[in-house]
Amino acid sequence: MALVSMTVICAGCATTEQRLTVAASTTGQISAGIALPALPAECRERMPRVVPKAGEKWRWVQTRWEIVADNRDALTARCAAFYDDVAAGFGGPR
């Protein structure tokens, strides 16, 4: 009977100790937080404005606007790829 009681008591201690270890580990992870990398400066840039020049034909204004818009789309794609990599590094969804 004493042997059975000691086994139950020791098993209970191991379970409690395991739970405390897991709780301490979880608390440490929460306290550590997540250190996100710095946002690339280009991700904060605004799209440049295309201002018509005196005497410029509208088709050239449109062409310049298309170039600026294409450049902005490429920048947005780079920023999206950056954050996909960040999310993958933290095991999060893409």
Side-chain angles (χ1 to χ4, degrees):
M1 182 67 171
L3 182 60
V4 173
S5 297
M6 287 300 282
T7 305
V8 171
I9 291 171
C10 288
C13 291
T15 302
T16 302
E17 185 175 328
Q18 288 173 349
R19 282 188 270 167
L20 286 173
T21 302
V22 170
S25 175
T26 303
T27 301
Q29 290 172 352
I30 291 170
S31 295
I34 296 175
L36 293 175
L39 182 67
E42 66 182 10
C43 292
R44 295 194 184 273
E45 291 177 5
R46 304 185 111 204
M47 183 173 158
R49 301 298 183 249
V50 176
V51 179
K53 298 174 184 172
E56 183 177 28
K57 295 186 179 190
W58 282 104
R59 69 175 168 254
W60 295 114
V61 173
Q62 178 66 29
T63 300
R64 285 194 301 127
W65 184 89
E66 289 173 2
I67 291 169
V68 170
D70 288 344
N71 289 341
R72 183 61 193 179
D73 289 344
L75 186 142
T76 301
R78 286 191 301 273
C79 287
F82 170 79
Y83 272 99
D84 287 345
D85 289 343
V86 170
F90 287 113
R94 286 188 168 196

